[in-house]
Amino acid sequence: MADLKEASVTLPSDPASVSAARKYVSKVLAEWGMPSGDEVGDTVRLIVSELATNAVQHTRGQSPTFTVDIELDRDEQLRIGVTDSHPRYPRRLPAAVQQDNGRGMVIIRMLTAECGGRLSVSPTNEGGKTVWIALPWTVPVQGRPRDAAH
């Protein structure tokens, strides 16, 4: 088995691309062995929806596309990044702010932490940014029990 599996898709910054990003991630995770009804898989799809929505809504037309990168490292860690070309990093809103939107990063951070993962943001060489989540991969590797003693 390869130490690193990777997949990537670039989509137009359009609201219809949010569901396309979610479907793409679902397809890749299924190919990598995650069952369709897996709770972590459902959480990952929700996180991807929020990240893609942010890439579409908060780049103010300065990012014509966004890219979703998926990495599975040694069947231990799943990383998903959403990259856009807008230089502004996501901002955390104060809890006291009352508005109908703007809670995406709070949701992403909470869901990521609940799965035992972490969230990070890194700049791109082109002046944009990538918002990454990293989660433990909980799917047993085929042919090897998950908790086998070595």
Side-chain angles (χ1 to χ4, degrees), residues 42-89:
D42 291 342
T43 300
V44 168
R45 285 184 281 280
L46 177 55
I47 290 170
V48 168
S49 290
E50 291 293 334
L51 289 173
T53 297
N54 285 351
V56 170
Q57 288 185 347
H58 299 294
T59 58
R60 297 185 183 1
Q62 293 185 27
S63 183
T65 62
F66 67 93
T67 301
V68 180
D69 293 299
I70 311 164
E71 301 173 355
L72 179 57
D73 190 11
R74 292 185 297 277
D75 290 317
E76 295 173 358
Q77 183 182 54
L78 176 68
R79 283 178 31 104
I80 298 178
V82 175
T83 303
D84 64 58
S85 57
H86 193 286
R88 186 177 50 122
Y89 278 33

Side-chain angles (χ1 to χ4, degrees), residues 90-105:
R91 288 181 282 176
R92 184 185 294 187
L93 294 176
V97 173
Q98 298 292 320
Q99 62 185 61
D100 293 337
N101 61 10
R103 299 280 180 231
M105 290 306 293

Side-chain angles (χ1 to χ4, degrees), residues 8 10 13 15 22 25 32 60 67-68 74 76 79 81-82 85 96-97 106-107 123-125 133 136 146:
S8 181
T10 299
S13 290
R22 187 176 53 248
V25 169
W32 292 351
R60 297 185 183 1
T67 301
V68 180
R74 292 185 297 277
E76 295 173 358
R79 283 178 31 104
V82 175
S85 57
V97 173
V106 172
I107 292 167
T124 65
N125 292 334
I133 61 158
R146 187 67 173 153

